[in-house]
Amino acid sequence: MDHIKMLNSQNLFAGMVLMDLQKAFDTVDHDILCKKLEAMGLDFTKWFQSYLKNRKQKVVANDTSSEAGVVTCGVPQGSILGPLLFLCYVNDMPMSVKCKLLLYADDSALIISGSDPKVIAENLSKELESCRQWLIDNKLSLHLGKTEAIIFGSKRKLSKIKSFEVKSGDVVINNVNNVKYLGLQIDNTLAGENIVMSILKRLILD
């Protein structure tokens, strides 16, 4: 938010795409992960292979369980190492883009600033496509239906924008006026109205 406020204070718009990764923790490729760990200087990846591979799981519903199946990919959720291993897995994602990339576990966001919303949308589309290609190469996938685009600025400047259309191929990304990032509701003017309203709703419900 401080970064976006700084851009707005310079009379610039800030465009942002919040990417939604499909089952991110469940689709981590074990071989790719171990190669990345080796590139980071870890010389005991056989331990990680034994930790990750040959795990089994089964589904239980109404006291009936399925046969145990071998888990061929993914990192254990709810474990201490799970989030850390995922961060190591996506650590080189910033190399796929030229703009600012926010990374927090599987919550990733692209940010581009400028004075022309149309140019910002075009550049975000290019960066999103580049990032999507990186995800494909690393056997991760982007949920375009849940991926959102937003542009930040003053109310006066935002009222003059006729369209802000970010695309991934032929798919137009959902354009919103407020987003939820890391549990916080953020509106396109950074006025904080949505933050206050979400807190009030919780107080009323409690």
Side-chain angles (χ1 to χ4, degrees):
M1 288 179 70
D2 284 342
H3 176 71
I4 295 168
K5 282 182 178 179
M6 181 189 70
L7 293 171
N8 289 163
S9 69
Q10 295 171 358
N11 209 29
L12 298 173
F13 290 106
M16 184 177 183
V17 171
L18 293 94
M19 295 180 287
D20 186 273
L21 305 186
Q22 295 191 90
K23 300 180 179 179
F25 279 59
D26 295 330
T27 54
V28 169
D29 185 275
H30 296 158
D31 293 329
I32 293 176
L33 173 61
C34 287
K35 286 179 182 177
K36 291 189 178 191
L37 291 174
E38 287 174 1
M40 291 177 187
L42 275 71
D43 56 0
F44 52 93
T45 54
K46 286 185 178 180
W47 183 91
F48 284 102
Q49 288 177 350
S50 67
Y51 170 72
L52 294 168
K53 293 190 175 183
N54 298 317
R55 286 178 172 269
K56 294 183 178 181
Q57 68 179 23
K58 60 182 179 180
V59 178
V60 179
N62 297 327
D63 298 325
T64 302
S65 64
S66 66
E67 293 184 7
V70 178
V71 179
T72 58
C73 60
V75 292
Q77 293 197 44
S79 65
I80 295 172
L81 278 178
L84 181 61
L85 289 174
F86 184 80
L87 283 175
C88 292
Y89 195 77
V90 299
N91 188 54
D92 60 326
M93 191 193 295
M95 294 174 64
S96 68
V97 295
K98 297 177 182 178
C99 66
K100 187 174 182 66
L101 172 63
L102 305 180
L103 274 178
Y104 186 87
D106 59 337
D107 289 310
S108 306
L110 301 166
I111 298 178
I112 289 180
S113 62
S115 56
D116 188 340
K118 186 178 179 181
V119 174
I120 294 172
E122 289 173 355
N123 289 334
L124 275 173
S125 298
K126 291 176 184 176
E127 297 293 353
L128 179 61
E129 193 57 32
S130 179
C131 200
R132 191 175 76 89
Q133 189 56 56
W134 182 93
L135 292 169
I136 292 171
D137 293 341
N138 286 272
K139 299 187 178 180
L140 297 172
S141 57
L142 188 65
H143 194 314
L144 293 176
K146 292 185 178 179
T147 295
E148 297 176 320
I150 185 171
I151 185 163
F152 297 94
S154 66
K155 281 186 179 181
R156 182 180 60 81
K157 291 190 71 175
L158 289 173
S159 65
K160 296 179 181 179
I161 299 176
K162 293 180 179 179
S163 67
F164 182 71
E165 197 172 84
V166 179
K167 293 183 177 180
S168 177
D170 295 328
V171 179
V172 178
I173 303 303
N174 186 30
N175 187 27
V176 295
N177 293 325
N178 65 84
V179 293
K180 189 174 184 179
Y181 188 63
L182 304 181
L184 189 67
Q185 285 290 149
I186 307 171
D187 52 65
N188 58 0
T189 60
L190 296 182
E193 292 176 10
N194 285 288
I195 297 173
V196 174
M197 289 304 297
S198 63
I199 294 171
L200 288 174
K201 284 179 182 178
R202 288 179 194 171
L203 290 172
I204 293 169
L205 290 172
D206 291 343

